């Protein structure tokens, strides 16, 4: 059996709940290979107060849940946090 030598692209994203202000950094990774149909996106570590609502192979549909009850896609808040300066 051949072993896949796909490299995982690892990155940190700042999460910020728009409802209660809970924030922290999530560690995530996905396979860095544009030919793959599924990037195998995973959240490796979440800050206190955040949990996984619905896992997904794609950042766009990976849903998080804050302890206050607010649910949101990983990608949306990560992009919003990156835009702030």
């Amino acid at each position: 059996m051949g072993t896949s030598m796909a490299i995982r692209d690892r990155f940190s994203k700042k999460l910020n709940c728009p409802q209660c202000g809970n924030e922290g950094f999530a560690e995530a990774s996905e396979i860095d290979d544009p030919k793959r149909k599924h990037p195998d996106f995973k959240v490796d570590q979440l800050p206190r107060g955040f949990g996984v609502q619905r896992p997904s192979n794609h950042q766009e549909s990976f849903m998080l849940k804050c302890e206050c009850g607010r649910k949101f896609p990983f990608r949306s808040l990560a992009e919003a946090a990156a835009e702030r300066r």
Side-chain angles (χ1 to χ4, degrees), residues 39-80:
D40 192 31
F41 175 77
K42 292 189 184 338
V43 173
D44 304 312
Q45 186 177 348
L46 282 171
R48 184 184 308 253
F50 290 97
V52 174
Q53 172 69 22
R54 187 182 72 223
S56 172
N57 282 322
H58 301 276
Q59 285 188 55
E60 295 80 4
S61 51
F62 194 102
M63 297 293 290
L64 297 175
K65 182 177 182 181
C66 181
E67 62 189 356
C68 74
R70 177 72 182 250
K71 299 171 190 145
F72 50 87
F74 179 88
R75 185 90 179 222
S76 67
L77 290 187
E79 287 179 346

Side-chain angles (χ1 to χ4, degrees), residues 14-31:
K14 184 173 184 184
L15 302 178
N16 191 340
C17 178
Q19 186 165 300
C20 72
N22 186 22
E23 63 181 22
F25 285 89
E27 301 297 323
S29 62
E30 62 189 5
I31 293 175

